[in-house]
Amino acid sequence: MDDIVIECKEVSCVFNMSTEKVDSLKEYVLKIIKRELMFKEFLALDDITFSVRKGETVGIIGLNGAGKSTLLKIIAGILKPTKGAVTIKGSVSPLIELGAGFDSELTGRENIYLNGALLGYSKEFLNNVYDQIVEFSELGNFIDVPVKNYSSGMYARLGFSIATIVKPQILIIDEVLAVGDFLFQEKCEKKIDELMSGETTVIMVSHSIEQIKRICKRAIWLNNGRIAADGDVTEVCEQYIHSV
Amino acid sequence: MDEISKYGFLLMNLTSRDFVVKYRRSILGIIWSVLNPILMMLLLNAVFSHIFRGDIDNFPLYLLSGQLIFNFFSDATSSALFSIVEAASLIKKVYVPKYIFPTEKVIFAFVNTVFTLIALILIMIITCARFSAVMFLAIIPLILLFIFTVGVSLLLSSFSVFLHDIKHLHSVVLTAWLYITPIFYSEKMLGETSWIYLIVRVNPLTWYITYFRDTMIYGAMPTVTQNLVCAGYAIGSFVLGAAVFKKLQDRFILYL
C-alpha cells in the first residue's frame, strides 16, 4: 500500500537494567569487586510489527510499564530500537512533554524562538506565527517576563501553544491533552480536534479508555512489550478491560 | 543544505541563550567579555613580569595572546563536557541531533574569544605594537583551533555521559596543560634537551599559540610546517571525536 505512513517491522527494544545506576569509576570498580553489578536485560518491546495508514487514529493502551511510551519515543525518533526498523513518511509532531526545551532564565518571547528552533521551525516562520502563539497562550504582558516567574499553568499554556502551532502530518500525543484551568482545557481540546481533522495521522497514549474511544478508531493493546490485540477500538478496549 | 539552515538557526538560538543567561543580571553586561581578559592579563602581568620581563618583548601582549588561545580551549571543553548531560531533559523528549549541544558550547566560547580579540587589539594600540597586513592570517589558527576543540569536545561530552568522573579529571588535566603551554613563558627558556621541552613541542596548543602570535603580533608569515601540523591536529581530533560520538550517541539516552 502506498498510503502507509508509519511502519514498524519486528521492533525490539532492550534496556540494560543494571540494578543501580553507576555514575562514577569508583562505584563501578567497587561494584565489580563486590559482584553487585548485574546486567539484567529488560525487554521493553518484543517483536512489534504494525503499520498505520494515512489519516488513521490509533490509540495505544496497556498497563504501566507495558512499553507504550517506549514505542512512542521510537516512532518520534528519540530512541533507536535495538532490533528492527521504523519507517516514517511525513512530518512528525510530538506532544510528548510540553515546554521541555524552556530555559527558565529566558523570557517567554525568547523561549518561543528557542523552543521553536528545537522543534525545527525557521526564523521567518516563527516571526509569522509569533503573535498567534502569544494570543493563544493568553499570556499578554507576561510574555516579556522570565519563565521562572510563571505559574505552572502559564508554563504549560505557552508550551502547548508552541507545540501545536503547526498542523503536522503525524501527531503523537502522550497524555498531555489538556492543561490549565477548565476554560483553557476546552480550548486545548478544540485545538487538538482541529489538528486531528483532515488527513492527520494520530498516535496517542492514554490511560483514559474514554478518551481513546472518543478520539481513536483503532487501538493497539500492549502487554509486557508485546502486541496483545490490534483492531477496532471498541473490541480491543473490551478485551483490555476484561483482562484486567 | 536544508539541515544546515534548520540547525544553524537552532545553534544561533542556543548561543544567544547562553549569552543572555551569562549577562542578564550584570550591570556592565557584555563589556565584561572585553574587560575580563584585560584584568586577568594585568593580574598575570603583575605576577610574572618580574620573572620573565627581560626575556620577552611586550610581555602584556605576549600574555594576552597566549591566554586568548588557552582560555578558548579551556572554556569550550569545560562547558562542552556536560553539555549532553545538561540537555538530558530535551534529548529524552524531542529529536534533536545530539552533536548540536557540545558544538554550541564551542561556538559560544568562540564568540567570547572574539571579544578577547577586541581586548587584544586595544592592548596593541596602547602598547604601540606594530600592525601589519599579516595580522589577518591570524584567523587561520583560530579556525583550525576551533575544529580541534570541537573534536575534543565531542569526545569528552560523549564519555562524560557514561562516566561522570571525567569532570574531576578534566580540571586536573587542564591545569597540567596550562603549565605545558607557553603562555607566560617562552619555550626558548626551557633548553632544547629537557624532556619538558619535548612535551611542550608536541602540545597542539603550543602550535596554535605560536601560529597566532607569529601572525597577530610579530607580523611573520606562517611556515608550511606550521600550517600542516595545526591542520593535522585539527583534522585528527575532529575525525576521532566525531567517530567516537557517532558510535556512542544512540546509547546516551539509556544513561541520561
Side-chain angles (χ1 to χ4, degrees):
Chain A
M1 294 282 264
D2 286 333
D3 56 351
I4 286 176
V5 285
I6 301 174
E7 188 162 32
C8 282
K9 256 192 190 159
E10 292 156 22
V11 168
S12 294
C13 194
V14 180
F15 290 117
N16 250 339
M17 297 269 291
S18 48
T19 38
E20 274 172 70
K21 233 183 175 179
V22 188
D23 278 340
S24 75
L25 189 64
K26 193 182 108 191
E27 261 180 71
Y28 191 82
V29 173
L30 275 178
K31 280 192 193 293
I32 285 179
I33 294 169
K34 290 186 189 166
R35 291 175 190 281
E36 272 179 14
L37 196 71
M38 313 236 282
F39 283 113
K40 268 188 209 157
E41 294 214 320
F42 172 72
L43 204 56
L45 291 176
D46 185 9
D47 199 19
I48 301 282
T49 301
F50 69 93
S51 53
V52 178
R53 278 204 291 270
K54 196 173 176 183
E56 265 192 304
T57 45
V58 183
I60 299 175
I61 51 176
L63 298 173
N64 283 332
K68 304 185 297 292
S69 293
T70 309
L71 186 59
L72 281 200
K73 281 181 179 173
I74 286 177
I75 294 171
I78 301 165
L79 199 66
K80 277 247 169 99
T82 322
K83 254 189 275 169
V86 179
T87 359
I88 306 283
K89 275 184 214 157
S91 64
V92 182
S93 180
L95 287 187
I96 291 185
E97 189 162 312
L98 301 172
F102 283 177
D103 189 299
S104 59
E105 288 288 328
L106 298 185
T107 64
R109 180 192 300 274
E110 289 160 338
N111 267 310
I112 289 179
Y113 282 89
L114 178 62
N115 211 317
L118 281 167
L119 294 172
Y121 306 152
S122 72
K123 189 179 179 180
E124 297 76 43
F125 175 76
L126 285 169
N127 285 339
N128 287 337
V129 295
Y130 176 79
D131 290 330
Q132 224 176 308
I133 294 175
V134 178
E135 198 198 313
F136 191 87
S137 68
E138 299 173 4
L139 282 169
N141 292 330
F142 282 102
I143 204 70
D144 286 315
V145 171
V147 300
K148 65 179 171 189
N149 299 333
Y150 281 17
S151 70
S152 53
M154 291 160 83
Y155 196 90
R157 259 150 51 197
L158 185 61
F160 185 90
S161 309
I162 299 171
T164 55
I165 197 66
V166 173
K167 191 171 154 68
Q169 282 158 303
I170 301 168
L171 184 66
I172 296 179
I173 308 173
D174 190 359
E175 317 214 48
V176 277
L177 283 190
V179 293
D181 55 32
F182 77 97
L183 281 178
F184 196 78
Q185 281 182 17
E186 267 176 31
K187 208 169 143 186
C188 288
E189 275 165 25
K190 255 191 215 152
K191 181 81 188 180
I192 286 169
D193 286 342
E194 187 194 313
L195 290 182
M196 293 193 308
S197 65
E199 291 287 76
T200 310
T201 309
V202 180
I203 305 270
M204 73 175 291
V205 161
S206 177
H207 281 290
S208 156
I209 299 293
E210 285 311 307
Q211 205 173 40
I212 297 266
K213 275 186 182 166
R214 187 169 64 83
I215 293 172
C216 304
K217 291 201 175 67
R218 174 181 162 192
I220 294 177
W221 168 23
L222 282 185
N223 192 18
N224 290 327
R226 287 173 170 275
I227 295 183
D230 177 0
D232 178 69
V233 68
T234 12
E235 284 172 28
V236 175
C237 286
E238 282 300 306
Q239 288 178 22
Y240 172 61
I241 290 166
H242 283 295
S243 80
V244 182
Chain B
M1 275 317 278
D2 198 36
E3 174 149 310
I4 292 174
S5 72
K6 191 169 159 185
Y7 294 118
F9 178 55
L10 174 58
L11 279 172
M12 216 177 74
N13 263 284
L14 288 170
T15 313
S16 77
R17 187 264 318 254
D18 279 355
F19 246 95
V20 169
V21 171
K22 188 173 177 188
Y23 293 117
R24 172 138 281 173
R25 276 159 175 255
S26 69
I27 298 162
L28 289 180
I30 216 156
I31 297 173
W32 276 115
S33 288
V34 179
L35 207 55
N36 197 356
I38 293 184
L39 291 176
M40 280 303 284
M41 184 273 287
L42 289 175
L43 181 72
L44 285 175
N45 187 44
V47 176
F48 288 111
S49 58
H50 295 291
I51 312 174
F52 297 130
R53 186 182 279 278
D55 305 299
I56 299 168
D57 292 338
N58 200 344
F59 192 60
L61 202 56
Y62 185 87
L63 254 179
L64 190 57
S65 54
Q67 261 178 273
L68 178 139
I69 300 288
F70 188 83
N71 285 354
F72 163 69
F73 179 77
S74 149
D75 289 351
T77 53
S78 308
S79 56
L81 186 60
F82 274 96
S83 56
I84 298 284
V85 180
E86 278 162 15
S89 63
L90 259 179
I91 290 173
K92 285 186 201 170
K93 307 291 183 233
V94 197
Y95 171 75
V96 182
K98 297 169 193 67
Y99 64 82
I100 292 276
F101 300 105
T103 310
E104 183 270 321
K105 295 296 177 195
V106 183
I107 292 174
F108 177 57
F110 198 76
V111 175
N112 272 310
T113 303
V114 172
F115 285 97
T116 314
L117 212 55
I118 296 171
L120 186 80
I121 290 168
L122 276 176
I123 297 294
M124 286 180 80
I125 295 168
I126 292 169
T127 58
C128 304
R130 194 163 56 97
F131 284 81
S132 74
V134 184
M135 270 176 74
F136 292 104
L137 291 180
I139 191 75
I140 299 172
L142 288 178
I143 289 171
L144 292 176
L145 174 66
F146 177 85
I147 298 169
F148 174 78
T149 311
V150 170
V152 176
S153 297
L154 287 174
L155 197 69
L156 286 176
S157 62
S158 53
F159 279 157
S160 71
V161 174
F162 305 101
L163 205 62
H164 287 211
D165 295 54
I166 286 187
K167 174 176 64 181
H168 307 288
L169 206 59
H170 182 67
S171 59
V172 177
V173 171
L174 264 185
T175 310
W177 209 327
L178 174 75
Y179 289 121
I180 57 159
T181 309
I183 297 165
F184 44 79
Y185 60 86
S186 150
E187 55 194 292
K188 293 191 194 80
M189 295 171 179
L190 294 171
E192 293 196 7
T193 46
S194 65
W195 58 273
I196 198 98
Y197 177 79
L198 275 177
I199 296 175
V200 171
R201 287 295 293 176
V202 180
N203 177 2
L205 291 185
T206 307
W207 286 88
Y208 293 115
I209 287 181
T210 311
Y211 193 156
F212 182 71
R213 278 181 183 144
D214 284 353
T215 47
M216 191 75 195
I217 308 178
Y218 303 126
M221 284 301 280
T223 64
V224 177
T225 327
Q226 268 180 324
N227 277 310
L228 285 180
V229 174
C230 287
Y233 273 129
I235 294 165
S237 153
F238 184 80
V239 169
L240 179 71
V244 170
F245 195 87
K246 195 163 189 284
K247 196 167 184 320
L248 295 177
Q249 64 175 354
D250 288 340
R251 282 167 54 215
F252 287 172
I253 193 166
L254 306 176
Y255 289 83
L256 287 174

